[in-house]
Amino acid sequence: MSDPQSPAGPGPGPAPRRRKFWGWGYEDEQPSRADVLAIAAQARATLGFGGERVLDPPSVADLRLPDPRLAPPASLAPLFTASPYERAAHAYGKSYRDVVRAFHGEFPHPPDLVALPGDEDGIAAVLEWCAHVGAAVVPYGGGTSVVGGVEPPAGERFAGTVSLDLRGLDRVREVDTASSAALVQAGALLPEADRQLRGHGLTLRHYPQSYRFATVGGSIVTRAGGHYATGRTHLDDFVQSVRAVTPAGLWESRRLPASGAGPSPDRLMIGSEGVLGVVTEAWLRVQDRPRFKVSATFAYPDFTAGARAARAIVRSGLQPANCRLLDPDEARLNQAGDGKEAVLIVGFESAHHPQDGLLDQAAGLALAHGGRRHDGSGDPAGPATAAEKQWRDGFQAAPYLRDALVAAGILVETFETAVTWDRFEELDAELHRTARRAAASVCGAAAVHRRLTHVYPDGAALYFTVLGPARRGSELRQWDDIKTAVGEALLAGGATITHHHAVGRDHRPWYDRQRPDLFARALGAVKAELDPEGILNPGVLLG
């Protein structure tokens, strides 16, 4: 549920805060035009391009949405809304393609209705009615997808589209302290779930960049990556059991710490991206809130040297909570370095034991691989956490900053992947070359930054940020050309099209080639059983 504003004075009560329908954050967080102009000027000074002309975002009153094609029966009418704000807010996720279209007021096929059920019975009723009238259903959690995962399908196959919003299912229903687990409803925002767990001294400790607005259910069905750079890196690792409503009936797995009883039913629903059913709740492994935290940063002459150090740390058996490597440009952009060296951030945390000894071991390996202690300001004797704080602040601010960059005419988007260590250095170099070449070709100028987000004993996840001057009206074509080039390079290099951003519609062309054909047919058979009319999130994963 949305957080209330503090009331300004006497009156009927606090008004609910509304999220921006076109971008990231709440409406009352939108920077002033003067602030956006200042951001544009700073970006132009740093990047050497963009910000010459700054546009203002649209208002709901500016929108011209097509009329709804659906009308629910009177018995279900209280579950639905067709307000222009809700329809626009549910039309897109939060990728660059999404923000650009919404910023320019382009809503050719928003959902016809938004469903707001408060329980499983309401979800089942919505699914039954939609199957009856031939309407597509797009499950909607926090709307933070960056791969087209919540965008209504275009075309004439369906009588209309319903965005099924789970915000009404937002509670921690039960806490099992003996097993360190909690039953959490799918619509709970991650911060709200943590708030409800705090009274028990517990936390889910799952912090994706979208943390503020991401939901538990959305994180499950997209296999979202989170806080930990090693060990339990995806929300998959925290799931004990899943419950979902499908058009064919209720799906619920048995809650167990582990099981060898055949293929896991949980694994089928985790990562299903809303095509098999609507996840309503899950038992999740939680943990005591950490009390001991230590970190250090190390500088390296280049990204490759830093990656070799990260590999040595994780292969030693150490599992730092944070082990993120920023290339020189990424470090400079986030004020964690001067742009001449790569920066490796290493951190450990525990609820029970001091971590200084583990950090000392990691530091020994980091230094042995050519690193030096570094605080992000160039002072080797400075505080170890300065660069980490600068990076963390920049990481959390990035979605807000992107809105301003879109207004300033700057293309800014990311892509990420994972590959085994034997192919890592070759792929890293090829992706960097390909992205720079493609971005420079379509934008005229470009900056390409990268970092390691997660490291494993057998490989690592690479995350790239691409920036370039956007051509008004051609932004989508520009990014599509860049994405096509890097997508082809990813598959050619034996990497995955996504490590933690899910598939959605945007990654389908490469996902279809990455997965085995026989698996695709098997998954299609499962969907036909659970969703006989094919109404759930059509175009995602299958179809």
Side-chain angles (χ1 to χ4, degrees), residues 29 31 33 40 72 141-142 179 192 230 250 264 275 335 408 480 515 519:
E29 294 175 324
R33 179 169 176 81
S179 308
E192 177 60 18
T230 66
L250 188 65
S264 167
V275 307
Q335 299 181 333
D480 287 347
R515 68 184 175 190
F519 173 78

Side-chain angles (χ1 to χ4, degrees), residues 66 70 81 103 129 150 184 222 277 315 321 341 441 527:
L70 299 169
T81 178
F103 184 85
W129 176 69
V150 296
V184 188
T222 59
R315 286 179 63 85
E341 297 174 302
S441 173
K527 180 171 175 64

